[in-house]
Amino acid sequence: MSNQYDAIIIGSGIGGGAIGAMLAHQGWNVLLLERNKRLGGRCISYERNGCMMDLGWHFYCLSDKGPLQEVCNRVDMPNGIPWNQLNGTSYIQVGDVQRKYSKKSMMEVVAEEERENFERLFKDVFTLSDDELSELWYVSVGDWVKSYTSDKMAYALIESFAAQYFCVPAKEASATEFIRAFREVMSNRATAYPSGGNFSVPLVYLDAIEKYKGTVKNETPVEKIIVEDGAAVGVRTKDGEEYRAPVIISNADIKATINEFVGPEHFPKAYVDRINELTYSGHGVMLRVLCSEKISEKQVVIFIPDNENPPCKVTDEMKAGIVPKLIGGCFGSPSNFDENLAPPGKQMITSLHACPADIRDNIDEWRESLMRSFYAVYPEAEGKVEKVWVDPPSLVKGMAGETGAIIGIGQTVDQIHEKRPSQVTPLKGLYLSSSEAGGHGIGTELAATSALELFEILRPMIDSRAAA
């Protein structure tokens, strides 16, 4: 039967591509189906006015020392992702003072009388035992920070990292998940960005699927997961084509997978209720600025205007429809990692800022505030800005779905560890591989870890096939 496969994967994001690559490497006949023209999920890159644009501005915090690289190693493509490491030109700007990014520079913005307490927090990040960490899974980052210090800027600094990592507020993010991630980032010092833009990461996984005789189809939206005798046995696409496999893996939105692709009638009611009550991570607006010449060597600048506006935090003002005068954000220059990401002699600078789910009604106010923030960080850009793009959450929603959320299901205290959906669903033959099921880490690394964990879940089946 020509439409029979060993595994069918829905979605070409990091989680889908990674599990597909590893299964294909094991000799499985893999079919990956993507609804969009562009592949890569939230790691889509595309050309616009001579510039290579990313759907979202990602850093890869563990790069060649983390799960994204581990997938490459497992499929015998260790040099597949062209990593470019940070070269020391990272800064943190609090107010109008910009300093080289370091622990020392963070200490300097905390009230002197609270620095000893803040120092103790940093020490505990690296010394807490596994037993002590296990007690903090369901304690928020905010409450954890307050157990050390009452300093508002200390809180804003930690919230800036938690919000950038997980795109949820510090009062909701899991302390243990944050501590583990912060520990890994600080210990490995491997933050990087790939040549060619974000798509270079999923591209190697999709290439691996095809290298090992699998099939990748874009513009092939799945309409239904076929269920027979209490098991997922295939998919039907919107053009009416059916494909069969004993293993169906969804990299798509978990709510759409359960409620639309399968149907709630095929799952226990408690499971469906839990899936439907899950909440997504926050939303972001992307600022992209093309400068007529290279204006800065800085690769990264974390901008914190004041203790109420750390990066990736949706403030009460924003929720009320008021756009703050200055907005915290993470600024970076893709062309300082790869000069080919901007036209010759020019520089591309992008930044990510938290915002409500829909800002289209006051997008002009957002543009003005974003540009004020841009010039606060890059005053040398005055008179050298050639082009400005502002991309709201609706762009992500259109390309990746899930309300336009930056990551997917949030890593909050009520959606982490045992409270997080598993890659194994109650429906036989149906699995999940994405940033919404299992896993650990930051954004794309969360999705890659989900795929690595799913591979281990499927290992008995993999080994059985290999033995046969």
Side-chain angles (χ1 to χ4, degrees), residues 251-269:
N251 177 232
D253 177 1
I254 189 171
K255 295 189 180 186
T257 298
I258 302 307
N259 292 307
E260 299 172 24
F261 294 161
V262 179
E265 67 273 15
H266 295 290
F267 300 93
K269 183 178 184 303

Side-chain angles (χ1 to χ4, degrees), residues 7-13 15-17 19 31-35 220-226 234-236 247-253 257 261-262 430-434:
I8 297 171
I9 299 163
I10 305 168
S12 65
I19 189 62
L31 172 66
L32 185 146
L33 302 174
E34 167 59 51
R35 65 171 183 161
T220 311
V222 169
E223 182 176 66
K224 209 69 179 173
I225 292 174
I226 301 168
V235 302
R236 184 173 63 252
V247 173
I248 310 298
I249 301 170
S250 180
N251 177 232
D253 177 1
T257 298
F261 294 161
V262 179
L430 178 63
Y431 303 88
L432 308 172
S433 182
S434 69

Side-chain angles (χ1 to χ4, degrees), residues 400-460:
E402 296 168 321
T403 78
I406 298 172
I407 295 176
I409 298 302
Q411 290 152 281
T412 58
V413 290
D414 58 344
Q415 298 180 164
I416 199 70
H417 200 36
E418 289 105 335
K419 297 182 180 181
R420 196 160 186 81
S422 167
Q423 292 95 331
V424 181
T425 76
L427 179 63
K428 182 181 178 182
L430 178 63
Y431 303 88
L432 308 172
S433 182
S434 69
S435 59
E436 304 187 339
H440 155 71
I442 301 168
T444 54
E445 291 165 355
L446 172 66
T449 305
S450 175
L452 288 163
E453 291 176 353
L454 177 56
F455 184 83
E456 295 307 315
I457 291 168
L458 296 174
R459 184 173 288 281

Side-chain angles (χ1 to χ4, degrees), residues 3 47 59 66 75 192 220 234 241 251 304-305 356 395 417 425 443 459:
N3 281 5
E47 188 174 343
F59 282 119
V75 300
T220 311
E241 194 75 24
N251 177 232
I304 305 174
L395 179 67
H417 200 36
T425 76
R459 184 173 288 281

Side-chain angles (χ1 to χ4, degrees), residues 14 40-44 54-61 191-194 198-199 286 337 350 352 406-407 442-444:
I14 293 293
R42 284 176 175 77
C43 286
I44 290 170
D54 296 325
L55 177 61
W57 170 237
H58 300 287
F59 282 119
Y60 300 86
C61 292
T191 300
Y193 180 77
N198 285 331
F199 183 55
M286 290 287 300
F337 289 90
T350 69
L352 174 67
I406 298 172
I407 295 176
I442 301 168
T444 54

Side-chain angles (χ1 to χ4, degrees), residues 137-148:
W137 276 113
Y138 310 122
V139 174
S140 74
V141 169
D143 286 343
W144 175 72
V145 173
K146 289 176 181 177
S147 72
Y148 290 86

Side-chain angles (χ1 to χ4, degrees), residues 99-277:
R99 301 172 174 86
K100 271 286 190 77
Y101 171 71
S102 67
K103 176 183 170 184
K104 179 176 180 292
S105 64
M106 287 188 279
M107 291 294 170
E108 290 173 350
V109 301
V110 173
E112 188 171 351
E113 63 271 17
E114 286 292 323
R115 289 178 188 171
E116 184 176 338
N117 291 330
F118 201 43
E119 176 76 35
R120 184 163 54 89
L121 178 151
F122 269 83
K123 180 182 177 181
D124 282 358
V125 164
F126 295 96
T127 59
L128 287 172
S129 67
D130 289 344
D131 286 343
E132 289 170 318
L133 281 175
S134 69
E135 297 177 359
L136 295 172
W137 276 113
Y138 310 122
V139 174
S140 74
V141 169
D143 286 343
W144 175 72
V145 173
K146 289 176 181 177
S147 72
Y148 290 86
T149 176
S150 60
D151 187 86
K152 289 186 176 180
M153 186 52 72
Y155 187 98
L157 284 167
I158 297 301
E159 178 161 44
S160 75
F161 291 106
Q164 288 177 81
Y165 288 178
F166 310 131
C167 301
V168 296
K171 64 183 181 182
E172 298 176 11
S174 162
T176 294
E177 183 73 347
F178 169 74
I179 293 166
R180 293 173 71 203
F182 194 62
R183 180 185 290 180
E184 290 165 350
V185 172
M186 298 294 283
S187 298
N188 286 287
R189 299 186 181 278
T191 300
Y193 180 77
S195 294
N198 285 331
F199 183 55
S200 295
V201 178
L203 176 60
V204 67
Y205 303 157
L206 301 172
D207 283 348
I209 292 173
E210 295 184 327
K211 175 182 178 180
Y212 297 113
K213 312 304 181 186
T215 303
V216 176
K217 291 178 177 283
N218 63 339
E219 296 185 281
T220 311
V222 169
E223 182 176 66
K224 209 69 179 173
I225 292 174
I226 301 168
V227 178
E228 294 176 357
D229 298 325
V233 297
V235 302
R236 184 173 63 252
T237 61
K238 286 195 174 179
D239 62 6
E241 194 75 24
E242 289 193 4
Y243 302 92
R244 298 280 176 142
V247 173
I248 310 298
I249 301 170
S250 180
N251 177 232
D253 177 1
I254 189 171
K255 295 189 180 186
T257 298
I258 302 307
N259 292 307
E260 299 172 24
F261 294 161
V262 179
E265 67 273 15
H266 295 290
F267 300 93
K269 183 178 184 303
Y271 181 80
V272 175
D273 289 346
R274 175 56 180 156
I275 295 302
N276 288 335
E277 71 185 9

